[in-house]
């Protein structure tokens, strides 16, 4: 069962999206090590995540919040507060961790192995690449005023407004349609 959405265009932003509705009814999607294990599998980081415990979950959520803080505050101002500077340190520290190991067998089957360190390393390196690269200019926040999901707008016209049509985009369309119907009556 796929219960996480990967609509952000970047691994690091998809992890940041595991805490929904940050301004209102905060909804945590990584409530347990099993949730983290499912996210890792669905993100195609590792085929069979090893043992995950509360510490692994805490470390992952700490990196998630650091990524979100940095993306929202980037580029850093000279007078950036300690929370933002701490977030930069967390991301840089995790970016030094190893990456998942990818191997092909003779039949061409890919195997991805590692543990939470490799997951954190992959997410942090993605964040570093995003913040230090050209894609950062295309980072947007969903136009749904309640949604706080960040995404990279890779549309040709660079006018993408919603984190995803299945969630916020369709909700907006339905609400707009209902308003038009009521106004017509």
């Amino acid at each position: 069962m796929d219960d996480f959405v990967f609509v952000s265009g970047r691994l690091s932003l998809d992890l940041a999206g595991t805490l929904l509705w940050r301004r209102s009814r905060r909804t945590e999607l990584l409530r347990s090590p099993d949730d983290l294990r499912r996210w890792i599998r669905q993100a195609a980081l590792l085929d069979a995540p090893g043992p995950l415990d509360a510490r692994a979950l805490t470390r992952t959520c700490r990196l998630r919040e650091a990524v979100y803080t940095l993306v929202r505050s980037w580029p850093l101002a000279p007078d950036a507060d300690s929370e933002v500077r701490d977030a930069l340190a967390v991301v840089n520290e995790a970016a030094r961790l190893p990456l998942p190991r990818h191997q092909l067998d003779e039949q061409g089957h890919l195997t991805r192995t590692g543990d939470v360190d490799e997951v954190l390393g992959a997410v942090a390196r993605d964040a570093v690449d995003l913040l230090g690269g050209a894609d950062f200019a295309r980072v947007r926040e969903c136009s749904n005023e309640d949604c706080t999901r960040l995404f990279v707008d890779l549309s040709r016209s660079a006018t993408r407004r919603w984190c995803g049509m299945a969630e916020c985009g369709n909700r907006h369309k339905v609400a707009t349609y209902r308003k038009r119907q009521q106004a017509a009556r």
Side-chain angles (χ1 to χ4, degrees):
M1 172 178 92
D2 288 353
D3 48 358
F4 295 100
V5 291
F6 296 87
V7 295
S8 299
R10 294 302 288 252
L11 176 64
S12 56
L13 298 181
D14 284 327
L15 178 63
T18 61
L19 179 60
L20 304 173
W21 318 107
R22 290 169 182 265
R23 286 188 287 272
S24 56
R25 61 182 190 270
R26 295 170 69 91
T27 304
E28 175 63 73
L29 300 181
L30 297 178
R31 294 177 301 275
S32 72
D34 285 338
D35 293 335
L36 176 57
R37 183 174 288 104
R38 281 195 330 280
W39 185 85
I40 291 168
R41 273 198 213 113
Q42 290 173 28
L45 285 168
L46 303 176
D47 296 328
L52 297 172
D53 57 13
R55 185 173 183 274
L57 180 61
T58 298
R59 291 176 65 206
T60 303
C61 290
R62 182 173 185 240
L63 177 60
R64 173 190 69 191
E65 294 311 302
V67 166
Y68 187 81
T69 297
L70 274 184
V71 171
R72 298 278 307 187
S73 304
W74 200 255
L76 297 188
D79 62 343
D81 66 24
S82 63
E83 177 186 6
V84 175
R85 293 196 182 283
D86 289 347
L88 180 59
V90 167
V91 169
N92 279 333
E93 180 181 326
R96 290 189 287 273
L97 293 170
L99 294 175
R101 291 170 298 282
H102 289 197
Q103 297 288 308
L104 285 175
D105 67 15
E106 292 176 3
Q107 289 76 39
H109 296 108
L110 171 66
T111 304
R112 296 167 290 228
T113 60
D115 60 22
V116 72
D117 279 351
E118 283 79 5
V119 168
L120 298 178
V123 170
R125 286 197 200 168
D126 180 71
V128 167
D129 289 345
L130 174 63
L131 293 166
D135 278 353
F136 184 74
R138 291 180 158 244
V139 171
R140 311 279 186 268
E141 184 178 77
C142 183
S143 290
N144 176 343
E145 63 187 39
D146 293 325
C147 184
T148 55
R149 190 181 301 266
L150 302 168
F151 62 89
V152 178
D153 180 1
L154 297 175
S155 67
R156 184 180 305 238
S157 62
T159 57
R160 179 176 162 191
R161 296 177 55 202
W162 314 110
C163 61
M165 286 307 294
E167 293 181 351
C168 295
N170 280 341
R171 288 180 186 157
H172 176 75
K173 283 184 171 185
V174 168
T176 302
Y177 174 79
R178 287 182 180 152
K179 285 180 187 175
R180 281 195 316 264
Q181 295 297 349
Q182 288 175 348
R185 289 183 194 146

